[in-house]
Amino acid sequence: MSFEVKGWCPGALRPMLSGDGYVVRVRPRLAELSAAQALGLCAAAEDFGAGLIDLTNRANLQVRGVQPGALPDLLAALTELGLIDADVETEGRRNILVAPTWAEGDDTHRLTLALLDRLGELPDLPPKMGFAIDAGPGPKLRDTPADFRIERGSHRGLILRPEGYPLGIRLLPGTEIDTLIRLCEWFVTSGGAEAGRMARHHAPLPDWAEPTLAPAARRLPLRPGPHALGAIHGAAFGQVQAADLAAAILDSEASAIRVTPWRVLLLLDATPGPRSGLLWNPEAPELRVDACPGAPFCPQSSVETRALALALAPHVKGRLHVSGCAKGCARPGPADVVITGENGAYGVALNARAGDPLTHHGLSAEQVRAHFGAH
């Protein structure tokens, strides 16, 4: 199973070419777009792309199917909406996951703004490294990709927890971002750039950064349904038609949207209720399935993924991951069932990641369906 691992994460200023055109990623500040920005993004996706918007596991939005000739017009539209950074370097540093239920002035809001103001002070980190600001009553972002996390500790204060460590470093009020930047500097000077990610960096932490404090009890991710801040809607495979999202925003009179890493959107001040093209049932099988775009949309995939995933979803208990190749873009972590494309056929493994050894090889889509009783 061959695939190419990109050494960077795409953005608006550095889009990635896929099988259906450019993928242009927008990184919302504080995970939020105003209603006007969201509607403008939907219009741009229809005018200059394939009319599709992806929700990523880093809480970003992606416009798909942008042809080379349309790219300048799309970037101009995103600039007009205030959704593009000043330069590629700033865009690359702004890998910040934000707990989406923040309130103005709370610790998550305060620290995210502080980090945004000081991005220029960070050392040169590997391009896929990122941060999670998750300073509510308890961590919500525990299973999302981040290298350094600011979380609530069990002592009710804040901690800085490097990925791969169960305990965190005590943060004194007013020093949170100073400490984060200092730990990033240690990462670079101790050879972390060669490892590429904090979880793969095995140098001992410095004496001043001894992790001694446990995080507070975790909070559950958001699921579709009514919410105190408005309404939560899911997107099958993290993809929604731009026209459906625009209609949901207008029909529900939402004031803004907040993007999450769980393939759901929080529509602020929205009237609750089902919306066309979005998932409202928190038990919908599609919410237990991860699947990349697959062939022909991704040149690294040799198999179709999403039609097969939809067919299997009601028949698989637990988490299902269908990946077009061993790279596993849709779900880096393990799943109860993982189905991976290999040379035009499918392989199956249990309690595994894409790329792990497979227990079944060379299956057709029909054979996979039969294996799980999805005739």
Side-chain angles (χ1 to χ4, degrees), residues 230-296:
I232 300 170
H233 295 275
F237 311 122
Q239 188 172 88
V240 60
Q241 293 281 345
D244 289 337
L245 178 56
I249 294 168
L250 291 170
D251 294 347
S252 68
E253 299 182 320
S255 62
I257 67 170
R258 288 191 186 165
V259 188
T260 81
W262 310 297
R263 284 39 184 304
V264 302
L265 291 168
L266 172 56
L267 274 60
L268 298 184
D269 305 312
T271 303
R275 305 291 171 189
S276 177
L278 294 167
L279 302 175
W280 184 246
N281 176 10
E283 303 300 329
E286 296 93 329
L287 294 174
R288 295 186 286 104
V289 178
D290 299 287
C292 64

Side-chain angles (χ1 to χ4, degrees), residues 89-363:
E89 183 180 2
T90 301
E91 181 182 69
R93 289 172 177 263
R94 198 165 56 81
N95 287 328
I96 306 173
L97 268 172
V98 180
T101 51
W102 59 266
E104 187 170 356
D106 70 6
D107 283 334
T108 296
H109 179 256
R110 173 180 64 86
L111 292 172
T112 302
L113 291 180
L115 179 55
L116 288 171
D117 284 343
R118 300 181 65 182
L119 286 177
E121 298 178 39
L122 290 169
D124 289 331
L125 297 168
K128 289 198 173 187
M129 290 192 69
F131 310 94
I133 309 296
D134 194 10
K140 289 181 178 290
L141 302 175
R142 185 71 56 82
D143 296 327
T144 59
D147 295 273
F148 301 104
R149 303 172 184 273
I150 295 180
E151 300 174 327
R152 185 69 53 190
S154 58
H155 68 307
R156 308 313 306 155
L158 293 175
I159 61 173
L160 171 59
R161 189 167 63 84
E163 188 71 350
Y165 287 80
L167 303 179
I169 304 155
R170 183 186 298 272
L171 290 174
L172 298 177
T175 69
E176 299 95 344
I177 304 304
D178 291 330
T179 307
L180 174 59
I181 293 173
R182 189 180 178 190
L183 194 63
C184 290
E185 291 170 344
W186 160 83
F187 177 85
V188 172
T189 58
S190 61
E194 295 182 8
R197 301 298 298 270
M198 182 62 219
R200 299 196 294 263
H201 187 39
H202 302 302
L205 291 172
D207 293 341
W208 58 265
E210 183 180 2
T212 59
L213 298 174
R218 66 182 302 168
R219 302 299 174 98
L220 294 176
L222 301 184
R223 304 178 70 195
H227 189 273
L229 295 176
I232 300 170
H233 295 275
F237 311 122
Q239 188 172 88
V240 60
Q241 293 281 345
D244 289 337
L245 178 56
I249 294 168
L250 291 170
D251 294 347
S252 68
E253 299 182 320
S255 62
I257 67 170
R258 288 191 186 165
V259 188
T260 81
W262 310 297
R263 284 39 184 304
V264 302
L265 291 168
L266 172 56
L267 274 60
L268 298 184
D269 305 312
T271 303
R275 305 291 171 189
S276 177
L278 294 167
L279 302 175
W280 184 246
N281 176 10
E283 303 300 329
E286 296 93 329
L287 294 174
R288 295 186 286 104
V289 178
D290 299 287
C292 64
F297 305 107
C298 176
Q300 299 198 59
S301 175
S302 64
V303 295
E304 190 284 327
T305 55
R306 290 183 172 173
L308 179 61
L310 280 176
L312 296 179
H315 303 275
V316 172
K317 293 183 179 179
R319 198 80 195 180
L320 168 65
H321 179 193
V322 182
S323 182
C325 74
K327 188 177 176 183
C329 294
R331 184 177 180 83
D336 297 282
V337 175
V338 62
I339 298 169
T340 306
E342 48 173 5
N343 301 319
Y346 298 90
V348 179
L350 304 179
N351 301 313
R353 293 176 170 85
D356 285 350
L358 300 168
T359 56
H360 296 74
H361 296 269
L363 302 179

